Amino acid sequence: QVQLVETGGGLVQAGGSLRLSCAASGSIFSINAIGWYRQAPGKEREWVAVIKDGGTTNYGDSVKGRFTISRGNAKNTVYLQMNSLKPEDTDIYYCTARITTIQRFTNDYWGQGTQVTVSS
């Protein structure tokens, strides 16, 4: 009924940049908030960034000033521009969204994750 598809992960050298994309599709009435978490094996999931309905954004302390979250012109699309990447940014990045369906049911959805690897 609702899917989140993430793209853009890959391997980059420290100091480089990547842009992640997340596209939501399905029986969507509205997206109340959409953002990113990251998690590496053996580590807890870490909140990265969120953009809310209306355009307000919030970031985790570790990425402030380096990452930017934005909504795309395409419907139900969000981007995470990652600059000045560090080896400690190496994680699987997950897109998550709070979505109200056309049936007016609200739930949280998760993408499959995309691997970001930053080499030193």
Side-chain angles (χ1 to χ4, degrees), residues 27-39:
S27 302
I28 298 171
F29 176 78
S30 64
I31 299 178
N32 303 290
I34 187 166
W36 297 86
Y37 286 79
R38 64 187 184 185
Q39 187 173 29

Side-chain angles (χ1 to χ4, degrees), residues 49-100:
V50 65
I51 185 166
K52 302 176 182 179
D53 191 16
T56 59
T57 60
N58 293 100
Y59 298 91
D61 289 340
S62 63
V63 306
K64 287 180 180 177
R66 299 189 298 122
F67 292 8
T68 302
I69 188 169
S70 61
R71 298 250 197 176
N73 291 329
K75 189 176 181 180
N76 300 329
T77 301
V78 66
Y79 300 102
L80 184 68
Q81 179 67 46
M82 305 186 294
N83 298 326
S84 302
L85 284 163
K86 305 174 181 179
E88 50 263 45
D89 294 319
T90 295
D91 275 310
I92 301 173
Y93 285 71
Y94 297 90
C95 180
T96 185
R98 180 160 294 174
I99 292 173
T100 299

Side-chain angles (χ1 to χ4, degrees), residues 3-6 22 35 92-97 109-114:
Q3 289 184 311
L4 302 179
V5 178
E6 300 146 320
C22 176
I92 301 173
Y93 285 71
Y94 297 90
C95 180
T96 185
Y109 296 87
W110 291 81
Q112 80 287 349
T114 185

